[in-house]
Amino acid sequence: MAQEKLKIATVSLAGCFGCHMSFLDIDERLFELIEHVEFDRSPLTDIKEIGQCSIGLIEGGLCNAENVHVLRNFRRHCKVLVAVGACAINGGLPAQRNPIPLAAILEEVYHTNPGLHNGVIPNDPELPLPLNKVHPIHEVVTVDYFIPGCPPSADTIWEVLTALLAGRQPVLGHALLHYD
Amino acid sequence: MSKTFTLDGKTIPFKDGQTIIQAALDAGYYIPHLCHHPEFKPHGSCKLCTVVVSGHQTASCTLQPAEGMVVESETEQLNAERRALTQMLFVEGNHFCPSCEKSGDCQLQATAYHLGMMTTHYDHFFPNRPLDASHDDYLLDLNRCILCSLCVRASRDVDGKNVFALAGRGAQTHLIVNARSGRLADTDFSATDKAAHVCPVGVILPKKRGFAVPIGERTFDKQPIDAYVDSRLARKES
């Protein structure tokens, strides 16, 4: 009987999906990967609810209440949680709003600037509430591994994934470790 | 016969008056450092260059070696402490490498790579620090300042201008510009100053020039920081 495949879940929180695109840049190595793993909740499968997984890949930081909820749910369901990319690690581009008070940002976008939502700050209960500041994910849950980069290269992501699947510590040497 | 000490078991010659780090860099041996610059007097503030001498930790940029001294630098313990110091520098400021013109040429970033820093680990301060774009040729982005004081030393000791100073104490320490308005434009700072060219991070940046060298082809993209020993040292013919 074939060995049961490990389950991987992925999500983009306050990110741009660039890290997911870079992940897809492993190209034909995807075929090798799916010999060993099965994708659970992920934009790649469109599965909405996460099941028990071995590895969770988190792209993006936390900019609203839903991000926090999804992150905590991933932590509960994944044995190993990996922060993928600059935004998950330090807030990245979305965190550029942090020095500006949230009220001032909403004011500028919806009241001062013309043409947006008829000058009313959206308040639908379906909309997740923005956090006061954008936070990296390690400030909210325990994170087991980090893959820096904006985005991390496909080779970098591949090194970490193959290391985890082989049960060894990932090693990112000079060629694979970049913050930009 | 010149005097020598040992650094991680390697024999390092030194001249009287040299510090441990000066002798080590001259001998082609890298010790992580940020506030040390080969052309400037020691400041001893960043503590990245901390080594162990006779069981005691000390900054190698301020201690002069003695004959036969045994110095340890590349140990797991010291690099773990250096990594923690580097992580603190990252969370205390706003260091967003992907949007920084200095990325790839940055001593802080390259040192973090050398130390294998995968995460900033601590909670981020996300401080609200000003950007001064008043000067015609140079801009100051204080979000990235690590208080190494190199611009202070360069402006005072080389340019004779005292354009910069560190003000405040402890966690409130910050870089200021010596003008009543606090603006760089209201000083005699110029693009030819030494102070315009010593910032190890992306605070003091030339205007009207951006990404002239693409990301991926910059100083520390080509080689890790320890391979240069110090990229600001005059290259020696080998």
Side-chain angles (χ1 to χ4, degrees), chain B:
Chain B
M1 273 298 280
S2 69
K3 295 189 234 180
T4 63
F5 64 97
T6 67
L7 180 59
D8 295 332
K10 194 171 182 282
T11 304
I12 309 283
F14 69 94
K15 300 187 206 83
D16 285 335
Q18 273 192 315
T19 59
I20 291 174
I21 199 169
Q22 281 170 339
L25 297 182
D26 277 358
Y29 196 97
Y30 175 72
I31 297 175
H33 56 281
L34 286 171
C35 72
H36 173 76
H37 187 298
E39 296 169 39
F40 290 90
K41 284 182 196 159
H43 189 242
S45 63
C46 79
K47 304 297 176 198
L48 260 284
C49 73
T50 296
V51 292
V52 172
V53 179
S54 311
H56 296 284
Q57 293 198 352
T58 182
S60 64
C61 70
T62 53
L63 186 72
Q64 296 183 356
E67 173 65 32
M69 192 181 258
V70 178
V71 182
E72 291 170 80
S73 173
E74 280 297 314
T75 70
E76 210 168 297
Q77 164 94 28
L78 280 172
N79 277 336
E81 292 182 20
R82 289 167 178 153
R83 190 159 52 244
L85 289 172
T86 308
Q87 286 167 325
M88 288 184 217
L89 289 174
F90 268 83
V91 301
E92 281 168 17
N94 291 311
H95 298 276
F96 296 102
C97 300
S99 56
C100 180
E101 167 62 24
K102 201 63 178 269
S103 192
D105 293 323
C106 173
Q107 303 275 333
L108 176 67
Q109 183 193 58
T111 303
Y113 291 163
H114 172 78
L115 297 169
M117 188 186 100
M118 310 301 287
T119 162
T120 41
H121 180 77
Y122 301 104
D123 284 5
H124 283 247
F125 287 25
F126 294 121
N128 189 0
R129 295 201 199 144
L131 189 131
D132 179 351
S134 63
H135 195 276
D136 281 344
D137 302 320
Y138 269 79
L139 77 85
L140 297 182
D141 188 340
L142 295 169
N143 288 292
R144 301 164 185 155
C145 185
I146 56 169
L147 307 171
C148 69
S149 90
L150 275 170
C151 59
V152 178
R153 286 177 274 167
S155 187
R156 181 190 63 212
D157 302 339
V158 181
D159 306 326
K161 289 184 177 179
N162 283 311
V163 169
F164 300 102
L166 294 182
R169 298 179 78 81
Q172 271 69 50
T173 309
H174 59 288
L175 185 71
I176 55 165
V177 169
N178 186 12
R180 195 170 285 276
S181 65
R183 295 161 76 240
L184 193 62
D186 298 327
T187 68
D188 52 356
F189 179 84
S190 94
T192 55
D193 286 358
K194 184 71 179 172
H197 305 280
V198 292
C199 183
V201 293
V203 177
I204 306 175
L205 291 171
K207 282 182 167 179
K208 300 163 201 159
R209 191 175 78 224
F211 295 88
V213 179
I215 299 264
E217 295 173 23
R218 297 180 174 191
T219 313
F220 302 113
D221 294 329
K222 293 180 199 157
Q223 289 194 99
I225 194 166
D226 57 313
Y228 290 94
V229 183
D230 189 310
S231 58
R232 302 159 301 192
L233 275 172
R235 296 273 87 191
K236 280 182 190 162
E237 298 297 325
S238 53

Side-chain angles (χ1 to χ4, degrees), chain A residues 80-160:
Chain A
V80 171
L81 204 63
V82 186
V84 184
C87 301
I89 290 172
N90 69 12
L93 187 73
Q96 304 303 303
R97 77 161 160 92
N98 284 356
I100 309 167
L102 182 58
I105 295 171
L106 293 172
E107 190 74 21
E108 174 73 19
V109 170
Y110 292 101
H111 289 164
T112 314
N113 268 2
L116 274 170
H117 204 269
N118 305 318
V120 179
I121 293 174
N123 195 25
D124 191 298
E126 292 261 321
L127 291 174
L129 286 172
L131 302 181
N132 217 15
K133 285 190 177 187
V134 177
H135 292 274
I137 65 170
H138 74 260
E139 292 186 9
V140 173
V141 297
T142 300
V143 179
D144 302 297
Y145 295 96
F146 300 84
I147 315 181
C150 183
S153 69
D155 289 343
T156 304
I157 296 171
W158 182 247
E159 158 59 21
V160 174

Side-chain angles (χ1 to χ4, degrees), chain A residues 24 98 165:
Chain A
L24 291 178
N98 284 356
L165 292 175

